[in-house]
Amino acid sequence: MTRGILIVGNDSLLCAAIAAQAAKRVERFAQVLLPNRFSGQIRGLRPDSPYTPPASPAESGSAAISLTWNPGSPISARTLTLSAARQLERIDEAVLICSPPSFRRPAAELQPLDIEILVNDHIKGWFFLVRELAGIFRARRSGVLALVAPDLGSGRDDQADLLGLPAAAAFRAFTQGLLASSAAEPYVTLGFSSRETGDDDNFAAYIFRLIDQANKRNSGKWYKYGRLGFFR
């Protein structure tokens, strides 16, 4: 039986690299890409609307099944997982990638819409989605939940990012909590991060090598990738 792989993440080079690794392992996988909606960069799209990225000619014939998702809605999270399970026959592995866009603007210039998008797309949605996936994996008593969290950095430039950095920090803290509680679950939970930039292809390959080998002994571990070696 083929593996059912669901990939959800911000539209980024890393997400594309992870999708490419999935395509090497299965004929079809399900994917949701979150766009950068800050400051109305996608016109007419409200925080309560799902987003379906248009398929390019190259992408339309790929292994990816593009699904829609409204991150701010718990009903949409359930609909997404049901749709993925129906089209793939089952979900065996879910890879969630948080790489939110940076948004450097003084606090006084933040727009209410941007704050809504931050909470819905980049914080609240992950909680709703993980809840649904955990329920599926717990009921079947198997599965792999892989969370790819960004390295937060510590430079002064990073501190100027009033939306992207808080979103990344929230996802990272959420991942740490899931890893800490994973011993009580029948499925495998893994965390990943990397300090490297511009090495997305190798990082994605590293992630899937560990997913391929995943078992309960590995559950709860956070893996850190680096060119000079792999750290755990």
Side-chain angles (χ1 to χ4, degrees), residues 78-210:
R78 176 161 297 183
T79 300
L80 168 60
T81 55
L82 289 174
S83 179
R86 182 176 66 253
Q87 297 196 57
L88 299 173
E89 296 186 4
R90 56 190 283 174
I91 302 174
D92 296 293
E93 301 158 9
V95 186
L96 311 184
I97 307 114
C98 179
S99 52
S102 61
F103 191 89
R104 289 176 169 81
R105 183 172 294 177
E109 297 179 14
L110 291 178
Q111 300 299 316
L113 179 60
D114 289 324
I115 297 171
E116 285 190 69
I117 290 171
L118 164 69
V119 175
N120 287 334
D121 285 16
H122 304 293
I123 297 179
K124 186 163 63 173
W126 296 121
F127 283 79
F128 289 148
L129 183 56
V130 167
R131 177 181 180 274
E132 295 298 327
L133 292 168
I136 292 171
F137 292 155
R138 180 182 284 183
R140 204 171 66 234
R141 302 195 64 79
S142 66
V144 178
L145 177 63
L147 302 106
V148 185
D151 186 79
L152 296 181
S154 58
R156 293 183 62 184
D157 289 343
D158 294 321
Q159 301 306 315
D161 184 357
L162 295 183
L163 295 181
L165 186 62
F171 186 87
R172 191 176 181 89
F174 185 37
T175 298
Q176 289 172 330
L178 292 169
L179 294 174
S181 62
S182 64
E185 300 293 351
Y187 56 89
V188 175
T189 305
L190 304 174
F192 297 93
S193 61
S194 172
R195 288 185 175 272
E196 305 291 346
T197 58
D199 199 23
D200 297 319
D201 292 339
N202 288 328
F203 183 33
Y206 171 68
I207 290 170
F208 259 103
R209 279 200 300 273
L210 289 169

Side-chain angles (χ1 to χ4, degrees), residues 19-68:
Q21 288 295 321
K24 294 179 180 180
R25 290 163 168 81
V26 294
E27 291 184 1
R28 302 288 281 170
F29 63 92
Q31 182 179 45
V32 177
L33 295 178
L34 292 173
N36 176 7
R37 303 197 294 172
F38 288 143
S39 288
Q41 293 190 28
I42 299 179
R43 292 188 177 181
L45 191 63
R46 296 183 54 78
D48 57 354
S49 302
Y51 172 75
T52 306
S56 69
E59 293 171 336
S60 60
S62 73
I65 301 170
S66 295
L67 301 177
T68 62

